[in-house]
Amino acid sequence: MKQRLAKRSPLAALLGAALLALAPPARADFELTDANGRQILLKDDGTWSYVDAKAGAAKLKAEQRAELVLQRRVEAPGGCRFELNLANKLPYEITSLVPDFSVYRGELVYSTQLLGFGPLKPGDRQSRSLQFEGIACGEISRLQVLGADRCEMGELNKFSDVKGRCLGLIRVQPSDELKFNK
């Protein structure tokens, strides 16, 4: 009898190994962090999703916002020129950010223009100039930052349909030059 079991043993081991190889590997859902600091849930079925992306954006500290500063305004031939600086204090690259800038004469919008920033790696700064024609600097009561809804930064891209999220990631610094807000 022992001899008979010995002969079947290698065959049984080979058959057992073949069955184990054909069985699907045991898996479980698990989380990981990508290079931009976002939490990702890898699911057992092969799909993935961000772990509560809205909560992740809410967890950003105040110092982890892009910071927009009005450096100065200068009388220019035929209008007023503004010099702006954007510092990327976010934990990821700003690939593209194009906010609207509106100048006001009194309480009325005089003119609105777009101004693009990017690409801007974390920790970098970028300066841009914006000129409004037909209005002197002294006539401008405020400069307001609007829009920017089609930004490309972090999990947001030009196809994201979340109004105000891009602008929410920017802190507009108050200015001594004039009222500067969003």
Side-chain angles (χ1 to χ4, degrees):
M1 182 95 166
K2 284 185 180 180
Q3 195 175 27
R4 201 174 204 193
L5 286 174
K7 287 183 181 177
R8 288 186 186 167
S9 231
L11 181 60
L14 185 61
L15 183 59
L19 287 174
L20 282 175
L22 293 175
R27 297 183 189 165
D29 295 352
F30 66 96
E31 289 184 19
L32 58 91
T33 304
D34 73 1
N36 294 328
R38 294 175 290 184
Q39 291 292 111
I40 299 173
L41 176 64
L42 297 176
K43 297 179 185 174
D44 185 30
D45 63 2
T47 62
W48 64 272
S49 66
Y50 289 111
V51 177
D52 198 6
K54 290 180 182 177
K59 289 180 185 176
L60 281 176
K61 298 176 186 169
E63 63 269 9
Q64 289 183 307
R65 302 270 189 241
E67 191 172 276
L68 186 61
V69 177
L70 171 60
Q71 292 181 313
R72 65 186 191 144
R73 66 178 173 166
V74 179
E75 290 291 345
C80 184
R81 186 176 76 235
F82 293 94
E83 294 178 10
L84 302 154
N85 184 282
L86 182 68
N88 185 1
K89 296 185 176 184
L90 294 163
Y92 41 78
E93 181 177 16
I94 297 172
T95 305
S96 175
L97 176 68
V98 186
D100 298 42
F101 290 87
S102 292
V103 290
Y104 285 73
R105 178 187 284 159
E107 292 301 313
L108 300 174
V109 174
Y110 179 81
S111 181
T112 300
Q113 292 186 28
L114 299 173
L115 182 64
F117 294 91
L120 194 56
K121 296 191 183 307
D124 286 351
R125 296 177 176 274
Q126 197 169 72
S127 294
R128 294 281 188 260
S129 292
L130 179 66
Q131 185 162 330
F132 288 91
E133 301 292 331
I135 187 167
C137 290
E139 296 177 71
I140 298 173
S141 60
R142 73 176 160 144
L143 177 63
Q144 186 173 13
V145 185
L146 307 160
D149 286 324
R150 297 293 179 218
C151 68
E152 291 188 43
M153 60 174 128
E155 77 272 2
L156 299 171
N157 60 47
K158 62 185 176 180
F159 302 110
S160 299
D161 192 27
V162 185
K163 291 250 183 228
R165 282 284 309 281
C166 296
L167 201 54
L169 295 172
I170 301 167
R171 182 175 55 233
V172 176
Q173 291 292 356
S175 174
D176 294 334
E177 296 287 328
L178 79 156
K179 187 174 181 182
F180 182 50
N181 61 4
K182 58 179 179 173

